[in-house]
Amino acid sequence: MTTENKNRSWAEPYRIKMVEPVKMISREEREEAIKEAGYNTFLLRSDEVYIDLLTDSGTSAMSDRQWAGMMMGDEAYAGSRNFYNLEEAIQEYYGYDYVVPTHQGRAAEHIISQLLIKEGDYVPGNMYFTTTKLHQELAGGTFTDIIIDEAHDPENEHPFKANVNLEKLENLIKEKGADRIPYVSIATSVNMAGGQPISMKNLKALRALTNKYDIPIIHDMTRVAENAYFIKQREEGYEDVPIKEIVHKICSLTDGATMSAKKDALVNIGGFLALNDKKLYEQAQNMVVVYEGLHTYGGMAGRDMEALAIGITESVDEDHIRARVGQVQYLGERLIEMGIPVVRPIGSHGVFLNAKKILPHLSQDELPAQALAAALYVDSGVRSMERGVVSAGRNQETGEHNYPALELVRLTIPRRAYTQAHMDVVAESVEAVYKNRENVSGLAFDYEPEYLRFFQSRFKKV
């Protein structure tokens, strides 16, 4: 954006040259569809959905350059040139020395968890994420939340709610011993807190503390560019620093990273594990051959690696990231103006509805976020997702539900996929459901899988 445009309306920094038709089925058909799906929006068919805000993972629109790169895929089994293009992009933009490609982020989480965690270890992190926490537990570890208390309060306006409570972390280290903490798990733009960022100041202080005890930091960098945007907007001293440089600095304060490239990096599939420790990298190389594929493709085709290499460069473009986060902010501000209870401040990748406040007549045992997501779909064909007691799963020891302070419905915005008009439709639908919120019934489990139950569970009305 040019300087003279700063205080004027702005538009998306791209033109549309291909469209995918969508349609809204009737309300009666939507009521039947959600019932058939067991009131779980994950189990809806995509052609039953009008505006799909289930996730921003793999749902963004690729650029003409990325599609051109797909045509340059080198599908050699070993030594694909696309891998080396990807490796070079990661080294340039993120600064990590070594790259292990994977089919998506959770494969990288699996590898690093198996390599570093042993039975009885504790893995502190700035709020859990579902797949990350599960891989840590399957490796024998116990996740411990060290995020600041403000992150659990949806109405708190703290600008960096992903910050680590350093006192909590040091107390854990002293109580359990540094040898039982394999690494600190740090996410940028923390998903479960509402897409909230960590500050550079806090990350630097965390780095100093972990250096004191010789504990590595493993970075969940899925939305690192979005976090960098908030640092540029909110943290003193960074207002004139390019997003590219802020991203590189964030990564330089960590020892390795898992990446679901389906978010920030604008591809439909792909991920990687990035490391600075050569010995650990060699162990990861060995594991990726067992679980994913050869170390020069992991779980990706050559064409996907090329699209990812290009997507990394586009993700740190100033106009792109301003428009991407700006669209999320637009929807959030509209909902606030309507009086809808949402997580504040508005995060980077979606707007999170406060289901506890919207449906106060439902207890958490009646799964209010799941019920709200189903009601929103019935109203307008907008698909969202639950981020509350269902996502939190069960206590490993007692078998009881985990009851998070945050009971949320996530309206997740794919990158470069929808217009502001779509956001207006979403806002009006949320408002309509809110006005009729007393009519939303609670839900109970009808089927529950053992792991990551929010994906496949089925529910029935209470």
Side-chain angles (χ1 to χ4, degrees), residues 52-77:
D52 202 344
L53 306 185
L54 184 74
T55 181
D56 62 332
S57 180
T59 58
S60 300
M62 291 202 300
S63 70
D64 51 358
R65 291 181 64 246
Q66 286 179 291
W67 280 108
M70 294 278 282
M71 298 297 103
M72 301 295 289
D74 174 9
E75 307 306 340
Y77 185 86

Side-chain angles (χ1 to χ4, degrees), residues 318-350:
E318 302 284 331
D319 285 349
H320 160 72
I321 200 69
R322 180 172 182 257
R324 187 284 182 279
V325 179
Q327 189 174 56
V328 179
Q329 303 290 301
Y330 173 82
L331 175 59
E333 288 163 8
R334 280 219 62 189
L335 291 174
I336 289 171
E337 289 169 1
M338 292 172 168
I340 311 296
V342 299
V343 172
R344 301 170 75 158
I346 303 301
S348 65
H349 66 291

Side-chain angles (χ1 to χ4, degrees), residues 75-191:
E75 307 306 340
Y77 185 86
S80 165
R81 64 176 173 269
N82 307 121
F83 166 75
Y84 296 104
N85 292 342
L86 174 59
E87 181 182 55
E88 183 179 338
I90 292 168
Q91 290 169 344
E92 176 184 351
Y93 289 90
Y94 303 141
Y96 297 110
D97 294 331
Y98 307 107
V99 180
V100 178
T102 58
H103 79 280
Q104 62 183 73
R106 68 192 62 173
E109 293 170 351
H110 166 70
I111 291 171
I112 199 66
S113 297
Q114 292 295 320
L115 288 177
L116 292 183
I117 299 172
K118 59 185 184 296
E119 191 73 33
D121 280 349
Y122 292 83
V123 187
N126 57 344
M127 197 172 281
Y128 83 99
F129 184 66
T130 49
T131 59
T132 315
K133 178 173 177 281
L134 178 60
H135 284 300
Q136 292 165 352
E137 291 173 345
L138 291 174
T142 299
F143 172 81
T144 304
D145 193 357
I146 55 168
I147 204 165
I148 59 174
D149 292 340
E150 291 89 337
H152 296 283
D153 179 359
E155 296 177 354
N156 192 291
E157 294 277 4
H158 194 292
F160 292 102
K161 291 167 86 169
N163 280 358
V164 168
N165 184 318
L166 299 171
E167 184 179 356
K168 281 185 185 178
L169 175 57
E170 190 155 28
N171 287 342
L172 179 70
I173 295 170
K174 289 177 178 178
E175 179 187 349
K176 304 298 182 183
D179 61 327
R180 296 184 68 187
I181 298 177
Y183 61 91
V184 177
S185 180
I186 292 299
T188 38
S189 292
V190 171
N191 191 346

Side-chain angles (χ1 to χ4, degrees), residues 348-364:
S348 65
H349 66 291
V351 180
F352 289 65
L353 306 177
N354 185 349
K356 278 186 180 179
K357 277 286 188 75
I358 294 174
L359 303 177
H361 59 288
L362 300 182
S363 71
Q364 269 190 292

